[in-house]
Amino acid sequence: MGARCALCGGACTRHLAGLYDDRYGYPGRFDLAQCGACGHRQLDAAFTDADLVRLYSEYYPRREFKDADFAPHREAHGFRAWLEGAGSSAFRWVPPRVRVLDIGSGIGQALAYHQARGCEAWGVETDENARPVAERHGLNVRIGTFDAAMFAPASFDYVTLDQVIEHAIDPVRFLSGAASLLKPGGRAVLSTPNSHGIGARLFGRRWINWHAPYHLQQFSRASLRLLAEKSGLVVESLRTLTNASWLLYQWLHLAAFPAPGRPSPFWDPARAGREMARGPRRAAALLHDLRINHLATRAADALGAGDNFLCLLRKPG
Ligand SMILES: [Zn+2]
């Protein structure tokens, strides 16, 4: 297809053809290209910023987030947290009493968690619906597409990007902007799907994290390292660490897999209870209750082949 890799400029070839929005029914088919040099994969979707606003405001479901859904994330420690893979989320790696920015803060549950631990927490969220929730709970959220000019340079100890960088049209520009907001020695924590792991191999085109056309970038270890380097950050650690619930969602996603252009009942809470067959739902729940999903997820992560990358980065200085 002649595309060049967004990370290393290498030549790309088609990896998967005709992916579609198997969650929310956005129309169209999209090819996924793979870089021959660094293994980075990118969706062949020439979105403009205006396209993305429409994609997220009309198809992405946060418009249905209600204040009643708001509950601050809680502390997670010990064996149970380990078994669940609680550390898969970037916000878990932020210490107490620091100044932290959460890019893509959503409804703000991580911000409330940080505030409860004595942090000065700020969020950026594109979705307008985050505003009333933030006002009600006293959270600092700037509404809009992330732009480093929203904040003073070199003013944060930590920046987190939880399942965000894969949505960026230009991931290097995005992370460079985030890095510019870190104080020297500050840290960025990033989580993003691993499309080179066991999950993508096992589930093929129905893997939950292709998530076309919302996920524009699918990183490899090599392309994540390049991303860090080009953004002026040093990789402190890079591994897979995956929440066991992702495997539960994968089973339910398979059970409800829709035709192109149709929204999946699983990803619509109003329809899931009514329209999904009981048998597959109960089977998936049983796998979870028996902790089989948890053990499978821990095993994949032990092999470094889990579905989620967790990456700790440091700004030199
Ligand atoms: Zn590349």
Side-chain angles (χ1 to χ4, degrees), residues 4-12 34-42 220 223 226:
R4 310 303 292 191
C5 173
L7 273 302
C8 77
C12 295
Q34 174 168 314
C35 173
C38 77
H40 187 69
R41 292 166 175 164
Q42 54 199 26
S220 64
S223 69
L226 277 168

Side-chain angles (χ1 to χ4, degrees), residues 116-134:
R117 302 171 89 233
C119 294
E120 184 191 339
W122 285 85
V124 180
E125 176 53 49
T126 48
D127 193 323
E128 273 286 340
N129 294 293
R131 193 193 303 274
V133 181

